[in-house]
Amino acid sequence: MRQPYLKSNLVALATKVLATAFAGIALALTVDALIGVPAANAAQPPKNIIIMFADGAAPTQWDFGRYSSRVLRGQPFVTTDIVFQQGTLGMLSTHPSNGYVTDSAAAGSAMSTGHKVNNGAVAVTPDGKPVATVMEVAKARGRRIGLVTTATVYDATPAAFSLHAKLRWQYQALVDQYLALEPDVLMGGGADYFLPKGAPGSKRNDGKDMIAAFRAKGYQVMRNTAELNAATGPKVLGLFADADMDFELDRDLARQPATAEMTAAALNALSQASPNGFVLLIENENIDTAGHANDAASLMRALWAFDDAVRVALDFQRRSPDTLLIVTSDHESGGFSPTEALRDLSKVSWENRFNPGEEQLRLLGRITMSFNAVREKLGGRPSGEALDELLARHFRGFKLDPDLRELILKQQTREHNFTYLPHNLLGRMVARQTGYYWGTSGHTTQPVLVGAIGPGAELFRGYQDNTDFGKHLHRLIQGK
Ligand SMILES: [Zn+2]
């Protein structure tokens, strides 16, 4: 499948060059062929579309997934080794309409609607107009639709692919919109905005019981892994945490299913009774959250969890080749930059440098707790003893330098672009010994990759804007 289009173009080009020499055919034709404008090859549009979405992943994250999976798990990374290598590969620029650095709402909106919006907006343009989302278009075309995430189901990405809000934080209104839209599959965290006011864990400001309301519309409701694996219905609502689902390092396997398990269950539900096919979005949000926290160990396991889900989706695509499988992302998070560094500050010399390799990766692999969980365990004002004890237990082989320790105990940062405490300081501790450095606790402007396999994949080839991604999806769903 590798570059068949390019090859055929080169043949066409050679033919045209010859023809031009003899018959004087306009040169413009050859130029068109050379730049490889994607053919309108949606002649056979996909029946199903699966969008695998790694929030916060750019090429550096993907390559870290590939490297760490090979070294520590002894297995290939499906995203890079199969989807990117054998499928069609493209890149997207990510800026929102009101700046250079995007948030997930603006990027998700662009990729879902084909329109630029401001940061924080959910499929609403800067002049206040709601614009059609991928899932709305799919539903109007009689396709079944599904949204799965490790974040809350009303978080920016699933919301931007289906709903509308001037601001992404209008959670209760977004959940109410889900009930009206009726996605056939809705899974993730975020039970808090489904529970009526007064119920334990509820964040609603009214007495509506949204879980009961979904049940009344024929949904099977699942609240833990066993219920997910036993689900048989074609319409399912899975709420596996009050807020976000946990990092792999902290996850209670019985309460919260893996991304791959949710993917299998979603495909099982959507492929039932679907003569017009389906559109499914699967997001792993922990990749983004680990980036904000500068937590390389959590990032590594989130990438593996996502890739396990890509494998499930790829198996489905191979069994149902009328399915388009897309693996992509919205932006980079954290300015992740594995790099060489000095072992200590005693001497700037070659001998005092190290280059991250297998030894450093194995050190990272020994970490047994996410920075989020460290923050939860220690609270806002940790004692030095509690901090030292926790690090000795869960960060074996790491040494917290006095400068970082002092900042953690004082709850202070030293840089304007590091605002997650104590996460970013622990990230620096890990970086000093492993070389897994970070540039920020925010998002960056790295273009994101798009890998696609199946009918319509060619549309995503090359360097495009994130709005082009949305336009292609609309076109494919509408069968144009
Ligand atoms: Zn983010």
XYZ file of all heavy atoms in Angstrom, residues 55 104 285 288 292 331 333 443, ligand 1:
68
model
N -4.836 12.281 22.373
C -4.762 13.706 22.727
C -3.368 14.039 23.261
O -2.894 13.395 24.190
C -5.831 14.031 23.774
C -6.152 15.507 23.829
O -5.252 16.289 24.193
O -7.289 15.885 23.498
N -7.492 21.778 23.193
C -8.123 20.590 22.608
C -9.496 20.906 22.012
O -9.916 20.243 21.064
C -8.271 19.492 23.663
O -7.025 18.949 23.964
N -6.984 10.281 26.567
C -6.683 11.633 27.047
C -5.491 11.639 27.999
O -4.880 12.674 28.237
C -7.937 12.184 27.745
C -7.773 13.493 28.486
C -7.574 14.689 27.576
O -7.856 14.571 26.363
O -7.128 15.737 28.083
N -2.261 13.332 26.916
C -2.234 14.788 27.116
C -1.995 15.127 28.586
O -1.158 15.982 28.910
C -3.564 15.383 26.653
C -3.708 16.858 27.001
O -2.970 17.671 26.418
O -4.535 17.196 27.869
N 1.017 17.401 30.298
C 0.878 18.572 31.177
C 1.658 18.367 32.474
O 2.275 19.289 32.991
C -0.595 18.808 31.518
C -1.388 19.391 30.395
N -1.242 20.693 29.986
C -2.341 18.849 29.598
C -2.077 20.925 28.975
N -2.744 19.825 28.716
N -2.771 17.971 19.100
C -1.661 18.890 19.370
C -0.640 18.143 20.210
O -0.919 17.034 20.683
C -2.140 20.137 20.126
C -2.864 19.784 21.391
N -2.232 19.305 22.515
C -4.189 19.791 21.693
C -3.115 19.055 23.453
N -4.322 19.325 22.973
N 1.629 18.000 23.736
C 1.529 18.496 25.115
C 2.840 18.297 25.851
O 3.362 17.183 25.919
C 0.433 17.752 25.873
O -0.799 17.926 25.238
N 0.593 23.251 26.016
C 0.621 22.660 24.677
C 1.682 23.357 23.828
O 2.083 24.471 24.147
C -0.738 22.836 23.975
C -1.861 22.134 24.681
N -3.181 22.327 24.348
C -1.852 21.234 25.688
C -3.944 21.575 25.125
N -3.164 20.904 25.948
Zn -4.161 19.468 27.117
